[in-house]
Amino acid sequence: MSLNSEQRAATIREFQENMSRLGLTAERIGKDFGVSGSRVEQIITLKSGVLEYPWIIRAYLLSKAAAQGVELTPFTALRGNPHDYWFLDGDFIDRGEID
């Protein structure tokens, strides 16, 4: 499954807005996952080549927002439970690991 150009642009914007609301940089997120900030940039610009990675970052942001009491911009394409999507590996997402 792939997103159309409008969905891609919206998802990238939503990642950027939510990171800003949480005061997070790609470098900070990368540090939490043990990867470089440039790797996180690849993921949030939907260029990682791994469908599950944006969902992992989404879950991370949702968790941070809940802990800080911050309301995020809703994700329009990355919504619902990733386990409901046949093309995603839910167990992979649940592990929350990025290479």
Side-chain angles (χ1 to χ4, degrees):
M1 300 299 288
S2 62
L3 303 177
N4 65 37
S5 59
E6 187 176 300
Q7 290 170 317
R8 286 182 65 80
T11 300
I12 292 166
R13 184 179 62 252
E14 291 155 4
F15 271 122
Q16 292 167 341
E17 288 175 8
N18 288 327
M19 288 169 59
S20 178
R21 286 179 184 221
L22 293 166
L24 294 169
T25 63
E27 289 76 24
R28 174 68 245 169
I29 294 170
K31 191 171 189 178
D32 286 348
F33 283 98
V35 299
S36 68
S38 62
R39 183 68 173 134
V40 172
E41 283 291 334
Q42 277 185 320
I43 295 165
I44 65 172
T45 57
L46 308 178
K47 296 177 182 170
S48 71
V50 180
L51 288 177
E52 289 80 7
Y53 283 170
W55 287 89
I56 291 170
I57 299 290
R58 172 189 174 265
Y60 167 90
L61 294 176
L62 292 174
S63 173
K64 291 284 189 188
Q68 295 178 26
V70 172
E71 186 174 334
L72 296 182
T73 298
F75 285 97
T76 52
L78 302 179
R79 66 177 183 264
N81 184 337
H83 289 271
D84 294 338
Y85 295 95
W86 63 267
F87 54 87
L88 294 173
D89 182 340
D91 294 334
F92 184 90
I93 294 168
D94 289 346
R95 284 194 296 278
E97 298 171 357
I98 296 172
D99 294 325

